[in-house]
Amino acid sequence: MASKDPAIAKKLLESLQGDLRTLSAEGKRKHPNVKESSEQTQLRLRTISSKNTDIISGLVPASAEIVQPFVLGCETKNQKLVQLCLVSIQKLISHEAVSMTAANSIIDCLWNLMEAGLEELKLLQTAILLHFTKDSTTINTAAATIKQLVSIVFERVVTEDKVQSQEPLESLNVEELKVGSKNPPKSLRPCAGDAYLLFQDLCQLVNADQPHWLMGMTEMTRTFGLELLESVLTSFPTIFSQHKEFSFLLKERVCPLVIKLFSPSLKYRQGLPPPPSPAPVEKPFFPIVMRLLRIVSTLIKHYYNLLMTECEIFLSLLVKFLDPEKPQWQRCLALEVLYKLCIQPDLIRSFCESYDMKPHSTKIFRDMVNGIGSFIQSQFMNPPGGPAAQTANKNIDTQGSPPALVGGMPVGGGVTPQPAFMYREPPNIADGYGLSLAFYCLLEVVKSVQFLLHGDETDESQKPKALIKKPLSSPTEEERHLQEELINSSWCGVLAALSLLLDASTDESATEGILKSMQIFASLCGQIEMNIPRDAFITALCKASLPPHYTLTVLNSQAPVTTSMGQKGHTRTPSQDLQMTGTEAVERSQVVAVGTPLPTASLPVGAHQGPVMLTAKNIQCMRALLSVAHCHGGILGTAWHLVLTTLQHLVWILGLKPSSGGSLKVSQQISEGTNAVITTAVMADLPVLSAMLSRLFESSQYLDDVALHHLIDALCKLSSEALELAYSNRVSTVHFSNACAVFT
């Protein structure tokens, strides 16, 4: 270090003496206070030199007095004096010869110069040097000064662009840009040239390269450099869009830098043995990854049209960050970025058009949805027994730490350090935080798809007559293709994840959100006549309405939830899903009714034995199913049979009986020939459900001819099945079918 070398310290002292003599001479006529202060400080330096063998140790206590003539010189706003004084101040800082009191004086001086718009380059150099001091207050103040200075440089470009240029500029020379230079591109005007050189050097410094323009700078903390890049990219997108020189920096400097710095995150697989390589795999470092993901979010949001290929890479990286072997904090950071993307329908549309709809491109939107769904699934799965999964479930102290040391202790094979100090570690992730993030991502995906198919219409669930319309009005062939791709890319992932969440939900409001999303998606599929996904969502709602493991052949005969999802597909299978027994289901939701299953002709007699239980969640799902039938009846088509069959079984289990005129009424508990036992918790709901069932058929007056035909066909089919069952003497009365017969 400079402070340990007497020769360097002596050279610093001589240099400062020379600067003070020059400052005294320059201020002699117009700035006598500067002259006087300079001469007093010269005497002070001579005293320090004569009394101290360690010159730096003598300079630090007196530094507040030593910087005073340079601060006064800056206050003159004289360009020549300001330049001289800033150079001298830089010398003191770089030799670590500044006390905290002196540092505060310097910062005040820099701030005043910044507000006066003087010497931005030297101010930046000086402030960045201050940023490396050991005092947190000085560091933070210096950081604020630097950010403000950088912002001012770019704000001048915006102002410059508003004024018509009178001077002709040379054409863009891309080859010169590739080389990098301390001179601005000749195709840019002065303010834009300064901003170009500044941004170029920020990229250089973050990449640990020497700057071209910020002469004297040797390093910058990577975290702070990334913050500056993010600040510029977020605040001044028009500059990068309007100037090809800045677009070049985005493509050739920023994007490769981001991908390079993501390398540890991509290679690191938590809990797995290291690969057979002499170089150890570097672990992802939380402060770096967090800032990189912020930049990625900004690049996708503001610069998608300029960086289509690069954004495809970034989006693929985000999905990879959700993999189970990645640290939980990294997975959650990726989900936070995905959430920001999912709430922007225009971006979702662009992803679908630019990637999913292209024959040889990555199916980005599909992978996003399936990645979110896979993350949700992973939160419910027990570790299969492998070392990676077992380690991933431990609270690892070394996550996100620098590769060599954690808390000052070496990290190697078999070493699990317990650090005494924690520095810049990832925060502890609250239980359920990642799952909640993924849940909200899914809901926003559904909203964005709905917006892209419907526009900005008001909540459609409040407009039943509008919702029973047939498909969306006359889309063009291109729009139709987009609509189908949006559904094809998302419906499997959305349905699998929502079904799993519905099984696991213990909160009524969360269940309501899931059910509403399923209703919306079923409606969207029906409106563009995509019957397979429509029926899959309807089937899921039907199954959720019935008791756990209720045997109903018609629901199991539907097409499985599969599509061209590739390796990312996660169709629910018995080994993957939550395998809830009846007891477990009871624990998750209050039992509100106990009844007998409705005999079905297609099932053997033994399948109907034993009581079945309906929970509060089943009733909530039944309401959602009735809402679909009432508000979306025009798009149900052949799915009417699924809906009505399910409702028939629910009516039987609840013991609802037909009254005169065909409506259903609530029977008393264990009377009137019913075996249903209804708790008081649901007694108040039964009249409401009965009324909804009655209105279901009344609302059929709004259906068009085709939709009405499907409803009547489903009713006839039900009646035929009921007659077949009655004929076989297996049941004497089928309540729901009798009620429906009045309608037919």
Side-chain angles (χ1 to χ4, degrees):
M1 289 178 62
S3 60
K4 300 298 182 183
D5 191 329
I8 293 178
K10 184 178 180 182
K11 190 174 180 180
L12 168 65
L13 198 66
E14 292 172 353
S15 179
L16 290 173
Q17 289 278 21
D19 291 345
L20 288 167
R21 285 193 293 269
T22 304
L23 186 59
S24 176
E26 291 292 338
K28 183 176 181 180
R29 297 179 61 185
K30 293 186 178 180
H31 307 287
N33 61 331
V34 175
K35 175 181 179 298
E36 181 180 348
S37 180
S38 299
E39 292 173 349
Q40 290 175 355
T41 303
Q42 288 180 63
L43 293 172
R44 188 78 169 94
L45 290 177
R46 291 193 195 104
T47 303
I48 291 171
S49 177
S50 62
K51 291 186 176 181
N52 294 274
T53 54
D54 185 351
I55 294 176
I56 298 297
S57 297
L59 287 174
V60 173
S63 57
E65 180 184 345
I66 293 169
V67 300
Q68 187 60 24
F70 303 121
V71 171
L72 292 173
C74 289
E75 289 176 356
T76 66
K77 306 296 193 294
N78 178 286
Q79 187 173 9
K80 189 173 182 179
L81 292 183
V82 169
Q83 288 182 353
L84 172 64
C85 293
L86 288 177
V87 169
S88 301
I89 289 172
Q90 288 177 17
K91 291 175 186 176
L92 284 165
I93 297 171
S94 60
H95 286 80
E96 300 180 8
V98 175
S99 68
M100 298 328 309
T101 304
N104 291 332
S105 297
I106 293 170
I107 286 173
D108 290 340
C109 171
L110 296 180
W111 195 269
N112 291 332
L113 288 173
M114 178 185 66
E115 291 183 333
L118 295 172
E119 294 297 326
E120 281 93 349
L121 173 56
K122 282 191 165 44
L123 291 179
L124 274 170
Q125 293 171 331
T126 310
I128 290 172
L129 286 171
L130 271 176
H131 192 257
F132 285 97
T133 61
K134 297 176 182 178
D135 179 73
S136 60
T137 303
T138 303
I139 291 171
N140 292 334
T141 310
T145 307
I146 294 167
K147 288 179 180 178
Q148 186 71 12
L149 283 164
V150 171
S151 180
I152 287 173
V153 172
F154 278 85
E155 284 169 1
R156 288 183 174 179
V157 183
V158 175
T159 303
E160 183 181 67
D161 286 343
K162 293 177 181 178
V163 180
Q164 194 73 20
S165 176
Q166 302 298 324
E167 300 179 8
L169 296 171
E170 294 188 16
S171 58
L172 174 66
N173 188 329
V174 176
E175 295 305 317
E176 287 184 2
L177 298 183
K178 290 181 179 179
V179 175
S181 170
K182 65 179 181 180
N183 299 314
K186 296 176 182 177
S187 53
L188 289 175
R189 293 159 73 182
C191 293
D194 288 346
Y196 178 92
L197 293 175
L198 173 57
F199 194 82
Q200 173 188 251
D201 277 4
L202 289 177
C203 295
Q204 290 285 110
L205 289 165
V206 172
N207 200 39
D209 294 328
Q210 290 301 304
H212 300 293
W213 187 58
L214 289 167
M215 301 304 292
M217 290 299 307
T218 56
E219 62 177 343
M220 172 186 284
T221 59
R222 183 160 279 167
T223 50
F224 184 56
L226 290 172
E227 286 176 15
L228 291 175
L229 290 179
E230 181 203 354
S231 176
V232 171
L233 292 170
T234 303
S235 302
F236 302 100
T238 55
I239 293 177
F240 290 87
S241 301
Q242 292 176 7
H243 296 281
K244 293 182 180 179
E245 297 82 358
F246 285 86
S247 301
F248 169 86
L249 288 178
L250 273 184
K251 293 183 74 72
E252 301 296 329
R253 298 284 189 270
V254 176
C255 292
L257 176 61
V258 170
I259 293 171
K260 172 188 171 183
L261 295 180
F262 267 143
S263 179
S265 298
L266 294 172
K267 294 177 182 177
Y268 181 68
R269 296 167 67 85
Q270 178 177 280
L272 295 182
S277 170
V281 175
E282 183 183 354
K283 294 178 181 178
F285 190 31
F286 173 75
I288 298 294
V289 175
M290 178 185 68
R291 288 162 176 82
L292 285 173
L293 285 173
R294 285 178 180 171
I295 290 176
V296 164
S297 178
T298 298
L299 290 174
I300 297 173
K301 180 179 179 180
H302 293 296
Y303 304 99
Y304 175 79
N305 292 328
L306 290 174
L307 305 170
M308 202 165 292
T309 302
E310 291 80 3
C311 285
E312 182 178 0
I313 296 172
F314 294 145
L315 289 163
S316 297
L317 291 179
L318 283 173
V319 174
K320 284 185 174 66
F321 282 6
L322 298 177
D323 289 347
E325 67 269 14
K326 301 301 181 188
Q328 186 72 357
W329 62 262
Q330 186 175 319
R331 302 174 81 193
C332 288
L333 285 177
L335 281 171
E336 288 177 350
V337 176
L338 287 171
Y339 177 80
K340 292 178 182 178
L341 303 180
C342 290
I343 62 177
Q344 300 179 68
D346 288 343
L347 273 181
I348 297 296
R349 179 190 182 108
S350 296
F351 297 160
C352 204
E353 290 176 335
S354 302
Y355 309 125
D356 294 64
M357 293 173 69
K358 294 289 190 292
H360 302 294
S361 180
T362 308
K363 306 298 184 186
I364 290 294
F365 181 46
R366 182 200 66 187
D367 288 350
M368 283 172 56
V369 176
N370 289 338
I372 295 166
S374 294
F375 175 88
I376 290 172
Q377 189 177 48
S378 73
Q379 302 302 291
F380 294 108
M381 290 176 64
N382 292 322
Q390 291 173 358
T391 310
N393 281 270
K394 295 179 181 177
N395 186 12
I396 299 175
D397 292 325
T398 61
Q399 285 186 12
S401 305
L405 296 173
V406 179
M409 299 179 66
V411 178
V415 177
T416 306
Q418 298 296 325
F421 302 96
M422 303 293 282
Y423 177 58
R424 294 199 290 185
E425 290 289 317
N428 291 325
I429 306 298
D431 289 342
Y433 176 68
L435 187 59
S436 296
L437 266 178
F439 170 57
Y440 285 114
C441 283
L442 273 184
L443 298 190
E444 292 301 332
V445 165
V446 174
K447 289 179 184 177
S448 289
V449 173
Q450 181 187 28
F451 179 88
L452 291 170
L453 268 66
H454 272 291
D456 58 353
E457 293 183 12
T458 55
D459 184 3
E460 309 219 350
S461 64
Q462 304 302 317
K463 305 191 305 179
K465 293 184 182 179
L467 281 181
I468 53 178
K469 290 180 181 177
K470 288 288 282 182
L472 302 180
S473 56
S474 305
T476 64
E477 184 176 349
E478 184 177 345
E479 290 171 338
R480 172 76 182 194
H481 189 192
L482 173 64
Q483 292 170 358
E484 291 178 350
E485 191 61 49
L486 284 166
I487 297 297
N488 277 328
S489 291
S490 59
W491 77 266
C492 276
V494 167
L495 177 57
L498 287 181
S499 298
L500 184 56
L501 287 169
L502 185 58
D503 282 346
S505 175
T506 58
D507 178 78
E508 186 176 342
S509 61
T511 300
E512 193 63 33
I514 296 167
L515 291 172
K516 185 174 182 180
S517 292
M518 295 177 82
Q519 293 174 63
I520 290 171
F521 223 98
S523 173
L524 295 175
C525 295
Q527 290 180 56
I528 57 176
E529 299 177 322
M530 296 183 69
N531 295 341
I532 290 178
R534 177 203 65 191
D535 289 358
F537 276 91
I538 296 299
T539 300
L541 284 172
C542 291
K543 286 184 175 180
S545 303
L546 292 165
H549 302 306
Y550 192 83
T551 305
L552 197 53
T553 305
V554 68
L555 297 182
N556 296 323
S557 63
Q558 299 306 308
V561 182
T562 56
T563 189
S564 55
M565 295 197 300
Q567 296 180 352
K568 285 291 182 182
H570 56 280
T571 304
R572 294 171 66 205
T573 64
S575 63
Q576 295 172 320
D577 206 348
L578 290 177
Q579 292 298 297
M580 295 199 313
T581 63
T583 304
E584 289 171 330
V586 170
E587 292 174 353
R588 292 180 181 276
S589 185
Q590 177 188 5
V591 173
V592 294
V594 179
T596 57
L598 172 65
T600 306
S602 59
L603 293 177
V605 176
H608 307 123
Q609 294 178 349
V612 290
M613 296 175 288
L614 285 174
T615 65
K617 190 194 292 185
N618 292 141
I619 300 300
Q620 191 176 2
C621 294
M622 180 182 178
R623 282 176 175 270
L625 189 61
L626 282 165
S627 177
V628 168
H630 180 66
C631 300
H632 306 263
I635 54 86
L636 285 178
T638 54
W640 267 114
H641 185 242
L642 290 172
V643 173
L644 294 181
T645 301
T646 302
L647 291 174
Q648 177 181 249
H649 281 255
L650 289 168
V651 163
W652 175 272
I653 295 168
L654 289 169
L656 300 180
K657 298 185 66 177
S659 62
S660 58
S663 62
L664 295 165
K665 70 174 184 178
V666 183
S667 61
Q668 298 299 316
Q669 295 185 29
I670 321 179
S671 63
E672 300 185 25
T674 177
N675 292 323
V677 178
I678 311 298
T679 68
T680 54
V682 79
M683 280 301 293
D685 286 336
L686 292 185
V688 177
L689 293 172
S690 299
M692 290 179 73
L693 283 164
S694 298
R695 289 199 302 273
L696 169 61
F697 299 106
E698 293 171 8
S699 66
S700 63
Q701 62 182 300
Y702 300 115
L703 297 174
D704 62 26
D705 290 346
V706 175
L708 185 61
H709 171 80
H710 282 296
L711 173 58
I712 294 174
D713 186 59
L715 288 168
C716 291
K717 200 171 181 181
L718 275 186
S719 295
S720 175
E721 291 167 356
L723 289 173
E724 179 185 349
L725 192 61
Y727 182 74
S728 64
N729 294 320
R730 292 171 65 182
V731 64
S732 59
T733 306
V734 182
H735 297 156
F736 188 69
S737 296
N738 287 348
C740 296
V742 175
F743 172 81
T744 56

